[in-house]
Amino acid sequence: KGETFGIIGKNGSGKTTILKLIAKIYRPDSGTVITDGSIVPLLQLGIGFHPELTVNDNIITYGVILGFKKELIKQKIPDILRYAELENFVDVKIKNFSSGMISRLGFATAVQIDPDIILVDEVLAVGDLSFQEKCLETFKDFKKRKKTIVFITHDTSQIIRVCDRALVLQNSKIDLLGDPSMVVQRYIDSQNKLS
């Protein structure tokens, strides 16, 4: 509880699969996954957004998919728009948005739920630098409030910066679990051997 846990590894090593197991999207072939608390998976931001609906309508739809009650999400719309820096786009259809704008809107909507556990899969890779910083500050705030974050990224500096512990996967197996700096170094060394 309250830990920010990073997972790194090359594409296809099983990082996203782990998050989907934790989120109960997949069932394990063997063993069990035990969680305690509400979970918001940020695996593909904007899934559930409909291109022909406005930002306002998409926030409501996406919020309901994530577990909000419709009345509550309507109250949160101004905060979501402010966080996403999209206040001037409330009546614009999503089909006119860039992928970065869609990611910002998806992230802003999801973090308003205030989950106990947040699962983050490369969602910061699409946003601009100032929005990435805002997301990292949100993670710090979640951590102060004893929320658990499981964080997947290829950005090793973010792993070192925000994680308490980290894990490197090699061929779907744990290669090293522990201090983020040691895990990142192991990952870098393994990538250098492949070069």
Side-chain angles (χ1 to χ4, degrees), residues 129-144:
L129 289 177
S130 65
F131 192 74
Q132 287 179 23
E133 282 302 313
K134 184 185 283 193
C135 294
L136 293 173
E137 288 303 314
T138 299
F139 293 162
K140 286 180 187 175
D141 178 58
F142 273 35
K143 185 175 178 160
K144 283 179 194 168

Side-chain angles (χ1 to χ4, degrees), residues 62-79:
Y62 191 52
V64 169
I65 289 170
L66 291 174
F68 270 126
K69 292 198 185 301
K70 192 174 181 179
E71 300 74 36
L72 180 59
I73 192 70
K74 284 181 176 181
Q75 293 171 12
K76 298 266 187 187
I77 288 174
D79 294 333

Side-chain angles (χ1 to χ4, degrees), residues 123-178:
V123 298
L124 303 185
V126 234
D128 56 37
L129 289 177
S130 65
F131 192 74
Q132 287 179 23
E133 282 302 313
K134 184 185 283 193
C135 294
L136 293 173
E137 288 303 314
T138 299
F139 293 162
K140 286 180 187 175
D141 178 58
F142 273 35
K143 185 175 178 160
K144 283 179 194 168
R145 295 184 294 127
K146 301 295 183 200
K147 308 290 182 176
T148 301
I149 300 167
V150 182
F151 183 56
I152 291 177
T153 184
H154 288 284
D155 186 337
T156 54
S157 66
Q158 287 180 352
I159 293 285
I160 292 170
R161 183 174 166 194
V162 301
C163 295
D164 301 301
R165 286 189 308 149
L167 164 75
V168 64
L169 289 175
Q170 296 284 349
N171 302 316
S172 302
K173 303 268 188 256
I174 297 172
D175 186 42
L176 182 63
L177 169 68

Side-chain angles (χ1 to χ4, degrees), residues 27-93:
R27 292 178 187 227
D29 294 332
S30 62
T32 56
V33 176
I34 300 169
T35 58
D36 182 22
S38 61
I39 299 174
V40 167
L42 301 178
L43 305 180
Q44 289 177 301
L45 290 177
I47 284 199
F49 284 163
H50 191 287
E52 291 298 328
L53 295 177
T54 65
V55 169
N56 191 66
D57 292 338
N58 270 298
I59 289 173
I60 293 168
T61 303
Y62 191 52
V64 169
I65 289 170
L66 291 174
F68 270 126
K69 292 198 185 301
K70 192 174 181 179
E71 300 74 36
L72 180 59
I73 192 70
K74 284 181 176 181
Q75 293 171 12
K76 298 266 187 187
I77 288 174
D79 294 333
I80 291 166
L81 292 171
R82 192 170 23 266
Y83 187 97
E85 301 167 9
L86 296 171
E87 301 98 313
N88 297 328
F89 298 91
V90 70
D91 294 319
V92 175
K93 291 182 179 181

